[in-house]
Amino acid sequence: MLFYSLLFFTFLVRFVFVLSTVDSIDGGTKCSTIGCLGKRLGPGIFGRRLDSAIPEVMYQVLEKPINKDELKGRSDIPQSLEEFLIEVKKSRLDARTFALKLREMVSLMEQRTRTAKIQEYLYRHVASSSIPKQLHCLALRLANEHSTNASARLQLPSAELVPALVDNSYFHFVLASDNVLAASVVAKSVVKNALRPNRFVLHIITDRKTYYPMQAWFSLHTLSPAIIEVKALQHFDWFSKGKVPVLEVMEKDQQVRSQFRGGSSAIVANNSEKPYVIAAKLQALSPKYNSVMNHIRIYLPELFPSLDKVVFLDDDIVVQTDLSPLWDIDMDGKVNGAVETCRGDDKFVMSKRFKSYLNFSHPLIAQNFDPSVCAWAYGMNIFDLDAWRKTNISLTYHYWLEQNLKSDLSLWQLGTLPPGLIAFHGHVRVIDPFWHMLGLGYQDNTSYEDAQNAGVVHFNGRAKPWLDIAFPKLRPLWAKYVDFSDKFIKGCHIRAS
């Protein structure tokens, strides 16, 4: 008993010492050690709330919601912390008035911050959705060159190289784009970094309006010894015959969006939604999501019936290494070789799972998919076309596009990646992250040095490298493949920065 008594007494003395020390640090009201002990233990023992240094009236004022109309036209609200402190010191406010002033100032700042954030998103939406006058100028000049200069109308490729287009001993790349400048950078970066460019074939697919400018550019800017093919969609036999399911879906999609989304002004006018929700809805209005160029990859087996394997490239990527080793990757019977986006050092970019893209509050999604499944990236993908032709991937893709339309676009918000995640589920061969670094178009946390060490960098996001809103420190990765002394580039005032 003596031993236990001494042990308890030692513990009590240490506990009292700690409490008295804390009181000294806090600088609170002076009290004896035993008194402070009673003051601290009493409320806890009898179930009462501990005394707070903040008066209860301040909690009541700060917790009361404020109507934004209360702040309209008010000139007496401090505009900064400095003004607030000056007014507090000068007026010697009581606790209630102090809390009122603080609540008004913070609420006003929150409103202004929200408005500024939404305006930023709106301006970025406009900047990323519009065609810059420099790119418009480039397309017009090249179209004119095509009509007046025979050298700009060369057959691509030349007749003796046509057999290579269906020869599976070559490395075949597919690029779908209606942006001449972007396509030129992708093609140049692929060829310049190739160890055996004479074995590289680039199939460039574009639309009707961009075909002549695209042909003029690659006729006048040859990438020999690589082989370049430029074709418009209407030149493909499969595309020009019969019904193309995605075109019907796109037409319905536009009708649904116009009926239920209301345009950018309606989205921005919504005062109840958080800025990041408004940003997502604005992004859904981007013209690229209604472009057939964005869906073209789902038709690769039909567009290239003679090819066994291709690498598909988006037009906002830059290649920084030789891509021929991609053909040495064992696909293990899978269709799509892609980089996963749920694990990596960059937790902001590499944290994407199915729940990041699909709406799991909808029963159709919740019943069919697991939200924790790792997502993967479009932009640089190896497609085994032989394996693809043995699956129902394309039918699955079209089925879920239809389901999204029937549900008023409530299964996912935007883009071709969500239906792609669904259609290719179970058919993905994960490849090394070296082959595809993401996120350079929506964040600049990635350092220039780290980006330089990636095989392929992807400017996915709004801040495309050919736009003024591009991140300055990352844009040189793309700009190094543009010849700014070229007469077309220079004539349209396309600059390095």
Side-chain angles (χ1 to χ4, degrees), residues 157-200:
S158 57
E160 66 272 14
L161 295 175
V162 168
L165 300 180
V166 293
D167 187 340
N168 283 295
S169 67
Y170 284 78
F171 304 112
H172 293 268
F173 300 87
V174 178
L175 167 65
S177 177
D178 57 0
N179 183 331
V180 177
L181 183 62
S184 73
V185 168
V186 177
K188 188 174 182 178
S189 66
V190 168
V191 175
K192 186 174 181 180
N193 290 289
L195 296 179
R196 292 177 288 168
N198 59 313
R199 307 302 299 170
F200 276 36

mmCIF file of all heavy atoms in Angstrom, residues 157-200:
data_model
loop_
_atom_site.group_PDB
_atom_site.id
_atom_site.type_symbol
_atom_site.label_atom_id
_atom_site.label_comp_id
_atom_site.label_asym_id
_atom_site.label_seq_id
_atom_site.Cartn_x
_atom_site.Cartn_y
_atom_site.Cartn_z
ATOM 1 N N PRO A 157 1.747 10.317 -98.393
ATOM 2 C CA PRO A 157 3.147 10.315 -98.817
ATOM 3 C C PRO A 157 3.249 10.167 -100.326
ATOM 4 O O PRO A 157 2.248 9.958 -101.009
ATOM 5 C CB PRO A 157 3.710 9.092 -98.104
ATOM 6 C CG PRO A 157 2.562 8.140 -98.043
ATOM 7 C CD PRO A 157 1.330 8.994 -97.871
ATOM 8 N N SER A 158 4.462 10.226 -100.836
ATOM 9 C CA SER A 158 4.677 10.038 -102.274
ATOM 10 C C SER A 158 4.316 8.606 -102.663
ATOM 11 O O SER A 158 4.290 7.704 -101.822
ATOM 12 C CB SER A 158 6.136 10.337 -102.632
ATOM 13 O OG SER A 158 7.006 9.512 -101.878
ATOM 14 N N ALA A 159 4.059 8.397 -103.948
ATOM 15 C CA ALA A 159 3.520 7.117 -104.430
ATOM 16 C C ALA A 159 4.381 5.918 -104.033
ATOM 17 O O ALA A 159 3.861 4.864 -103.641
ATOM 18 C CB ALA A 159 3.365 7.174 -105.948
ATOM 19 N N GLU A 160 5.714 6.068 -104.092
ATOM 20 C CA GLU A 160 6.581 4.922 -103.800
ATOM 21 C C GLU A 160 6.574 4.534 -102.318
ATOM 22 O O GLU A 160 6.983 3.427 -101.952
ATOM 23 C CB GLU A 160 8.023 5.198 -104.253
ATOM 24 C CG GLU A 160 8.748 6.298 -103.511
ATOM 25 C CD GLU A 160 8.505 7.676 -104.129
ATOM 26 O OE1 GLU A 160 7.582 7.804 -104.955
ATOM 27 O OE2 GLU A 160 9.254 8.622 -103.765
ATOM 28 N N LEU A 161 6.103 5.456 -101.450
ATOM 29 C CA LEU A 161 6.086 5.170 -100.015
ATOM 30 C C LEU A 161 4.715 4.714 -99.513
ATOM 31 O O LEU A 161 4.568 4.356 -98.346
ATOM 32 C CB LEU A 161 6.524 6.410 -99.230
ATOM 33 C CG LEU A 161 7.973 6.867 -99.437
ATOM 34 C CD1 LEU A 161 8.243 8.160 -98.696
ATOM 35 C CD2 LEU A 161 8.948 5.777 -98.997
ATOM 36 N N VAL A 162 3.725 4.717 -100.382
ATOM 37 C CA VAL A 162 2.368 4.338 -99.967
ATOM 38 C C VAL A 162 2.308 2.940 -99.351
ATOM 39 O O VAL A 162 1.592 2.719 -98.356
ATOM 40 C CB VAL A 162 1.388 4.477 -101.155
ATOM 41 C CG1 VAL A 162 0.053 3.807 -100.848
ATOM 42 C CG2 VAL A 162 1.178 5.946 -101.497
ATOM 43 N N PRO A 163 3.023 1.922 -99.885
ATOM 44 C CA PRO A 163 2.958 0.584 -99.267
ATOM 45 C C PRO A 163 3.331 0.575 -97.789
ATOM 46 O O PRO A 163 2.857 -0.294 -97.031
ATOM 47 C CB PRO A 163 3.964 -0.230 -100.091
ATOM 48 C CG PRO A 163 3.986 0.446 -101.440
ATOM 49 C CD PRO A 163 3.833 1.906 -101.134
ATOM 50 N N ALA A 164 4.159 1.524 -97.347
ATOM 51 C CA ALA A 164 4.564 1.558 -95.935
ATOM 52 C C ALA A 164 3.384 1.859 -95.013
ATOM 53 O O ALA A 164 3.425 1.531 -93.816
ATOM 54 C CB ALA A 164 5.660 2.602 -95.732
ATOM 55 N N LEU A 165 2.334 2.457 -95.546
ATOM 56 C CA LEU A 165 1.182 2.832 -94.726
ATOM 57 C C LEU A 165 0.468 1.620 -94.138
ATOM 58 O O LEU A 165 -0.246 1.747 -93.134
ATOM 59 C CB LEU A 165 0.194 3.674 -95.545
ATOM 60 C CG LEU A 165 0.724 4.993 -96.121
ATOM 61 C CD1 LEU A 165 -0.364 5.709 -96.910
ATOM 62 C CD2 LEU A 165 1.257 5.900 -95.015
ATOM 63 N N VAL A 166 0.631 0.479 -94.754
ATOM 64 C CA VAL A 166 -0.033 -0.741 -94.255
ATOM 65 C C VAL A 166 0.980 -1.831 -93.902
ATOM 66 O O VAL A 166 0.608 -2.987 -93.716
ATOM 67 C CB VAL A 166 -1.045 -1.277 -95.302
ATOM 68 C CG1 VAL A 166 -2.203 -0.306 -95.461
ATOM 69 C CG2 VAL A 166 -0.368 -1.534 -96.643
ATOM 70 N N ASP A 167 2.240 -1.437 -93.789
ATOM 71 C CA ASP A 167 3.314 -2.393 -93.496
ATOM 72 C C ASP A 167 3.538 -2.435 -91.984
ATOM 73 O O ASP A 167 3.974 -1.446 -91.371
ATOM 74 C CB ASP A 167 4.586 -1.955 -94.220
ATOM 75 C CG ASP A 167 5.698 -2.984 -94.120
ATOM 76 O OD1 ASP A 167 5.643 -3.832 -93.209
ATOM 77 O OD2 ASP A 167 6.637 -2.915 -94.939
ATOM 78 N N ASN A 168 3.269 -3.580 -91.376
ATOM 79 C CA ASN A 168 3.375 -3.699 -89.917
ATOM 80 C C ASN A 168 4.806 -3.815 -89.406
ATOM 81 O O ASN A 168 5.027 -3.893 -88.191
ATOM 82 C CB ASN A 168 2.556 -4.898 -89.433
ATOM 83 C CG ASN A 168 1.066 -4.584 -89.407
ATOM 84 O OD1 ASN A 168 0.615 -3.736 -88.646
ATOM 85 N ND2 ASN A 168 0.306 -5.258 -90.263
ATOM 86 N N SER A 169 5.781 -3.782 -90.296
ATOM 87 C CA SER A 169 7.177 -3.761 -89.849
ATOM 88 C C SER A 169 7.619 -2.334 -89.487
ATOM 89 O O SER A 169 8.692 -2.141 -88.931
ATOM 90 C CB SER A 169 8.096 -4.334 -90.925
ATOM 91 O OG SER A 169 8.132 -3.493 -92.077
ATOM 92 N N TYR A 170 6.785 -1.358 -89.814
ATOM 93 C CA TYR A 170 7.055 0.046 -89.448
ATOM 94 C C TYR A 170 6.406 0.358 -88.100
ATOM 95 O O TYR A 170 5.538 -0.375 -87.624
ATOM 96 C CB TYR A 170 6.500 0.994 -90.518
ATOM 97 C CG TYR A 170 7.315 1.070 -91.793
ATOM 98 C CD1 TYR A 170 7.227 0.069 -92.751
ATOM 99 C CD2 TYR A 170 8.158 2.147 -92.047
ATOM 100 C CE1 TYR A 170 7.960 0.127 -93.934
ATOM 101 C CE2 TYR A 170 8.892 2.224 -93.222
ATOM 102 C CZ TYR A 170 8.797 1.214 -94.157
ATOM 103 O OH TYR A 170 9.530 1.288 -95.324
ATOM 104 N N PHE A 171 6.840 1.472 -87.518
ATOM 105 C CA PHE A 171 6.225 1.975 -86.282
ATOM 106 C C PHE A 171 5.152 2.993 -86.680
ATOM 107 O O PHE A 171 5.472 4.056 -87.218
ATOM 108 C CB PHE A 171 7.275 2.623 -85.378
ATOM 109 C CG PHE A 171 8.418 1.718 -85.035
ATOM 110 C CD1 PHE A 171 9.698 1.971 -85.513
ATOM 111 C CD2 PHE A 171 8.228 0.614 -84.220
ATOM 112 C CE1 PHE A 171 10.756 1.143 -85.200
ATOM 113 C CE2 PHE A 171 9.284 -0.231 -83.898
ATOM 114 C CZ PHE A 171 10.552 0.034 -84.391
ATOM 115 N N HIS A 172 3.911 2.697 -86.372
ATOM 116 C CA HIS A 172 2.796 3.525 -86.823
ATOM 117 C C HIS A 172 2.244 4.369 -85.676
ATOM 118 O O HIS A 172 1.909 3.836 -84.612
ATOM 119 C CB HIS A 172 1.686 2.655 -87.411
ATOM 120 C CG HIS A 172 2.077 1.977 -88.686
ATOM 121 N ND1 HIS A 172 1.839 2.528 -89.930
ATOM 122 C CD2 HIS A 172 2.706 0.784 -88.914
ATOM 123 C CE1 HIS A 172 2.291 1.709 -90.868
ATOM 124 N NE2 HIS A 172 2.828 0.638 -90.274
ATOM 125 N N PHE A 173 2.144 5.684 -85.944
ATOM 126 C CA PHE A 173 1.586 6.624 -84.976
ATOM 127 C C PHE A 173 0.361 7.293 -85.598
ATOM 128 O O PHE A 173 0.362 7.614 -86.789
ATOM 129 C CB PHE A 173 2.607 7.702 -84.607
ATOM 130 C CG PHE A 173 3.866 7.144 -84.004
ATOM 131 C CD1 PHE A 173 4.922 6.729 -84.802
ATOM 132 C CD2 PHE A 173 3.992 7.015 -82.634
ATOM 133 C CE1 PHE A 173 6.084 6.206 -84.257
ATOM 134 C CE2 PHE A 173 5.144 6.495 -82.072
ATOM 135 C CZ PHE A 173 6.197 6.084 -82.881
ATOM 136 N N VAL A 174 -0.657 7.516 -84.783
ATOM 137 C CA VAL A 174 -1.876 8.181 -85.247
ATOM 138 C C VAL A 174 -2.079 9.448 -84.432
ATOM 139 O O VAL A 174 -2.019 9.427 -83.193
ATOM 140 C CB VAL A 174 -3.108 7.264 -85.117
ATOM 141 C CG1 VAL A 174 -4.373 8.004 -85.571
ATOM 142 C CG2 VAL A 174 -2.917 5.990 -85.921
ATOM 143 N N LEU A 175 -2.292 10.544 -85.140
ATOM 144 C CA LEU A 175 -2.536 11.842 -84.508
ATOM 145 C C LEU A 175 -3.790 12.432 -85.130
ATOM 146 O O LEU A 175 -3.867 12.602 -86.344
ATOM 147 C CB LEU A 175 -1.336 12.766 -84.738
ATOM 148 C CG LEU A 175 -1.515 14.252 -84.429
ATOM 149 C CD1 LEU A 175 -1.767 14.461 -82.941
ATOM 150 C CD2 LEU A 175 -0.288 15.039 -84.881
ATOM 151 N N ALA A 176 -4.806 12.737 -84.321
ATOM 152 C CA ALA A 176 -6.043 13.353 -84.800
ATOM 153 C C ALA A 176 -6.097 14.782 -84.288
ATOM 154 O O ALA A 176 -6.060 15.017 -83.071
ATOM 155 C CB ALA A 176 -7.263 12.571 -84.316
ATOM 156 N N SER A 177 -6.160 15.759 -85.215
ATOM 157 C CA SER A 177 -6.117 17.155 -84.794
ATOM 158 C C SER A 177 -6.672 18.071 -85.878
ATOM 159 O O SER A 177 -6.536 17.801 -87.074
ATOM 160 C CB SER A 177 -4.667 17.566 -84.485
ATOM 161 O OG SER A 177 -4.593 18.928 -84.141
ATOM 162 N N ASP A 178 -7.289 19.174 -85.443
ATOM 163 C CA ASP A 178 -7.687 20.237 -86.368
ATOM 164 C C ASP A 178 -6.869 21.501 -86.096
ATOM 165 O O ASP A 178 -7.264 22.601 -86.461
ATOM 166 C CB ASP A 178 -9.186 20.532 -86.241
ATOM 167 C CG ASP A 178 -9.601 20.923 -84.825
ATOM 168 O OD1 ASP A 178 -8.720 20.971 -83.937
ATOM 169 O OD2 ASP A 178 -10.800 21.166 -84.602
ATOM 170 N N ASN A 179 -5.721 21.322 -85.437
ATOM 171 C CA ASN A 179 -4.840 22.428 -85.071
ATOM 172 C C ASN A 179 -3.486 22.191 -85.750
ATOM 173 O O ASN A 179 -2.717 21.321 -85.340
ATOM 174 C CB ASN A 179 -4.688 22.481 -83.544
ATOM 175 C CG ASN A 179 -3.836 23.643 -83.065
ATOM 176 O OD1 ASN A 179 -2.939 24.106 -83.755
ATOM 177 N ND2 ASN A 179 -4.104 24.098 -81.847
ATOM 178 N N VAL A 180 -3.203 22.964 -86.787
ATOM 179 C CA VAL A 180 -1.984 22.751 -87.582
ATOM 180 C C VAL A 180 -0.732 22.950 -86.736
ATOM 181 O O VAL A 180 0.208 22.137 -86.784
ATOM 182 C CB VAL A 180 -1.955 23.699 -88.801
ATOM 183 C CG1 VAL A 180 -0.643 23.528 -89.574
ATOM 184 C CG2 VAL A 180 -3.143 23.444 -89.714
ATOM 185 N N LEU A 181 -0.694 24.007 -85.957
ATOM 186 C CA LEU A 181 0.495 24.303 -85.157
ATOM 187 C C LEU A 181 0.753 23.199 -84.144
ATOM 188 O O LEU A 181 1.883 22.729 -83.980
ATOM 189 C CB LEU A 181 0.339 25.649 -84.455
ATOM 190 C CG LEU A 181 1.536 26.134 -83.631
ATOM 191 C CD1 LEU A 181 2.755 26.326 -84.512
ATOM 192 C CD2 LEU A 181 1.198 27.422 -82.880
ATOM 193 N N ALA A 182 -0.298 22.767 -83.446
ATOM 194 C CA ALA A 182 -0.145 21.703 -82.448
ATOM 195 C C ALA A 182 0.315 20.407 -83.097
ATOM 196 O O ALA A 182 1.224 19.736 -82.594
ATOM 197 C CB ALA A 182 -1.475 21.491 -81.717
ATOM 198 N N ALA A 183 -0.286 20.056 -84.240
ATOM 199 C CA ALA A 183 0.089 18.820 -84.937
ATOM 200 C C ALA A 183 1.539 18.869 -85.408
ATOM 201 O O ALA A 183 2.257 17.859 -85.363
ATOM 202 C CB ALA A 183 -0.843 18.589 -86.122
ATOM 203 N N SER A 184 1.980 20.054 -85.822
ATOM 204 C CA SER A 184 3.360 20.179 -86.304
ATOM 205 C C SER A 184 4.361 19.925 -85.189
ATOM 206 O O SER A 184 5.417 19.316 -85.409
ATOM 207 C CB SER A 184 3.581 21.574 -86.901
ATOM 208 O OG SER A 184 3.638 22.570 -85.897
ATOM 209 N N VAL A 185 4.033 20.367 -83.968
ATOM 210 C CA VAL A 185 4.937 20.157 -82.827
ATOM 211 C C VAL A 185 4.993 18.677 -82.453
ATOM 212 O O VAL A 185 6.071 18.122 -82.214
ATOM 213 C CB VAL A 185 4.499 21.008 -81.621
ATOM 214 C CG1 VAL A 185 5.244 20.584 -80.352
ATOM 215 C CG2 VAL A 185 4.738 22.486 -81.894
ATOM 216 N N VAL A 186 3.835 18.026 -82.407
ATOM 217 C CA VAL A 186 3.816 16.597 -82.073
ATOM 218 C C VAL A 186 4.643 15.811 -83.094
ATOM 219 O O VAL A 186 5.513 15.013 -82.733
ATOM 220 C CB VAL A 186 2.372 16.060 -82.027
ATOM 221 C CG1 VAL A 186 2.381 14.557 -81.763
ATOM 222 C CG2 VAL A 186 1.562 16.773 -80.952
ATOM 223 N N ALA A 187 4.381 16.052 -84.381
ATOM 224 C CA ALA A 187 5.090 15.313 -85.435
ATOM 225 C C ALA A 187 6.595 15.575 -85.383
ATOM 226 O O ALA A 187 7.407 14.638 -85.482
ATOM 227 C CB ALA A 187 4.533 15.701 -86.797
ATOM 228 N N LYS A 188 6.981 16.830 -85.230
ATOM 229 C CA LYS A 188 8.402 17.171 -85.209
ATOM 230 C C LYS A 188 9.100 16.551 -84.000
ATOM 231 O O LYS A 188 10.234 16.055 -84.105
ATOM 232 C CB LYS A 188 8.576 18.689 -85.201
ATOM 233 C CG LYS A 188 10.002 19.157 -85.379
ATOM 234 C CD LYS A 188 10.060 20.678 -85.519
ATOM 235 C CE LYS A 188 11.487 21.160 -85.741
ATOM 236 N NZ LYS A 188 11.530 22.647 -85.928
ATOM 237 N N SER A 189 8.418 16.574 -82.844
ATOM 238 C CA SER A 189 9.038 16.019 -81.634
ATOM 239 C C SER A 189 9.170 14.493 -81.731
ATOM 240 O O SER A 189 10.140 13.914 -81.232
ATOM 241 C CB SER A 189 8.237 16.405 -80.388
ATOM 242 O OG SER A 189 6.952 15.808 -80.375
ATOM 243 N N VAL A 190 8.215 13.837 -82.388
ATOM 244 C CA VAL A 190 8.300 12.389 -82.589
ATOM 245 C C VAL A 190 9.508 12.044 -83.459
ATOM 246 O O VAL A 190 10.327 11.180 -83.119
ATOM 247 C CB VAL A 190 7.005 11.839 -83.242
ATOM 248 C CG1 VAL A 190 7.220 10.401 -83.717
ATOM 249 C CG2 VAL A 190 5.844 11.897 -82.264
ATOM 250 N N VAL A 191 9.624 12.732 -84.592
ATOM 251 C CA VAL A 191 10.665 12.405 -85.572
ATOM 252 C C VAL A 191 12.048 12.822 -85.074
ATOM 253 O O VAL A 191 13.028 12.082 -85.226
ATOM 254 C CB VAL A 191 10.353 13.066 -86.928
ATOM 255 C CG1 VAL A 191 11.484 12.827 -87.927
ATOM 256 C CG2 VAL A 191 9.029 12.547 -87.477
ATOM 257 N N LYS A 192 12.134 14.001 -84.476
ATOM 258 C CA LYS A 192 13.441 14.513 -84.044
ATOM 259 C C LYS A 192 14.081 13.614 -82.988
ATOM 260 O O LYS A 192 15.309 13.489 -82.917
ATOM 261 C CB LYS A 192 13.294 15.935 -83.504
ATOM 262 C CG LYS A 192 14.611 16.598 -83.166
ATOM 263 C CD LYS A 192 14.440 18.051 -82.780
ATOM 264 C CE LYS A 192 15.781 18.698 -82.456
ATOM 265 N NZ LYS A 192 15.629 20.124 -82.071
ATOM 266 N N ASN A 193 13.263 12.969 -82.148
ATOM 267 C CA ASN A 193 13.800 12.130 -81.072
ATOM 268 C C ASN A 193 13.874 10.655 -81.448
ATOM 269 O O ASN A 193 14.251 9.827 -80.621
ATOM 270 C CB ASN A 193 12.947 12.298 -79.816
ATOM 271 C CG ASN A 193 13.120 13.677 -79.187
ATOM 272 O OD1 ASN A 193 14.161 13.980 -78.625
ATOM 273 N ND2 ASN A 193 12.093 14.513 -79.305
ATOM 274 N N ALA A 194 13.501 10.321 -82.686
ATOM 275 C CA ALA A 194 13.526 8.922 -83.127
ATOM 276 C C ALA A 194 14.943 8.484 -83.467
ATOM 277 O O ALA A 194 15.701 9.227 -84.094
ATOM 278 C CB ALA A 194 12.619 8.747 -84.337
ATOM 279 N N LEU A 195 15.302 7.281 -83.071
ATOM 280 C CA LEU A 195 16.604 6.721 -83.425
ATOM 281 C C LEU A 195 16.599 6.155 -84.838
ATOM 282 O O LEU A 195 17.628 6.127 -85.512
ATOM 283 C CB LEU A 195 16.986 5.623 -82.420
ATOM 284 C CG LEU A 195 17.203 6.080 -80.968
ATOM 285 C CD1 LEU A 195 17.561 4.892 -80.090
ATOM 286 C CD2 LEU A 195 18.296 7.151 -80.899
ATOM 287 N N ARG A 196 15.417 5.709 -85.286
ATOM 288 C CA ARG A 196 15.269 5.188 -86.654
ATOM 289 C C ARG A 196 14.073 5.866 -87.328
ATOM 290 O O ARG A 196 13.044 5.225 -87.565
ATOM 291 C CB ARG A 196 15.076 3.666 -86.619
ATOM 292 C CG ARG A 196 16.299 2.891 -86.158
ATOM 293 C CD ARG A 196 15.993 1.404 -86.087
ATOM 294 N NE ARG A 196 15.122 1.091 -84.960
ATOM 295 C CZ ARG A 196 14.515 -0.085 -84.787
ATOM 296 N NH1 ARG A 196 14.672 -1.047 -85.688
ATOM 297 N NH2 ARG A 196 13.761 -0.295 -83.743
ATOM 298 N N PRO A 197 14.190 7.145 -87.615
ATOM 299 C CA PRO A 197 13.033 7.867 -88.180
ATOM 300 C C PRO A 197 12.562 7.304 -89.515
ATOM 301 O O PRO A 197 11.397 7.486 -89.882
ATOM 302 C CB PRO A 197 13.552 9.304 -88.321
ATOM 303 C CG PRO A 197 15.041 9.179 -88.343
ATOM 304 C CD PRO A 197 15.364 8.009 -87.472
ATOM 305 N N ASN A 198 13.449 6.640 -90.248
ATOM 306 C CA ASN A 198 13.046 6.059 -91.535
ATOM 307 C C ASN A 198 12.052 4.904 -91.377
ATOM 308 O O ASN A 198 11.440 4.462 -92.350
ATOM 309 C CB ASN A 198 14.273 5.568 -92.308
ATOM 310 C CG ASN A 198 15.047 4.518 -91.540
ATOM 311 O OD1 ASN A 198 15.332 4.682 -90.349
ATOM 312 N ND2 ASN A 198 15.403 3.428 -92.196
ATOM 313 N N ARG A 199 11.848 4.429 -90.126
ATOM 314 C CA ARG A 199 10.882 3.354 -89.857
ATOM 315 C C ARG A 199 9.604 3.904 -89.219
ATOM 316 O O ARG A 199 8.731 3.128 -88.822
ATOM 317 C CB ARG A 199 11.491 2.291 -88.933
ATOM 318 C CG ARG A 199 12.819 1.715 -89.395
ATOM 319 C CD ARG A 199 12.728 1.081 -90.765
ATOM 320 N NE ARG A 199 11.776 -0.045 -90.808
ATOM 321 C CZ ARG A 199 11.373 -0.633 -91.911
ATOM 322 N NH1 ARG A 199 11.803 -0.201 -93.093
ATOM 323 N NH2 ARG A 199 10.518 -1.645 -91.855
ATOM 324 N N PHE A 200 9.499 5.228 -89.128
ATOM 325 C CA PHE A 200 8.340 5.846 -88.478
ATOM 326 C C PHE A 200 7.319 6.295 -89.524
ATOM 327 O O PHE A 200 7.678 6.945 -90.512
ATOM 328 C CB PHE A 200 8.770 7.069 -87.657
ATOM 329 C CG PHE A 200 9.272 6.728 -86.272
ATOM 330 C CD1 PHE A 200 10.015 5.576 -86.041
ATOM 331 C CD2 PHE A 200 9.012 7.557 -85.202
ATOM 332 C CE1 PHE A 200 10.485 5.257 -84.781
ATOM 333 C CE2 PHE A 200 9.478 7.263 -83.936
ATOM 334 C CZ PHE A 200 10.212 6.101 -83.715
#
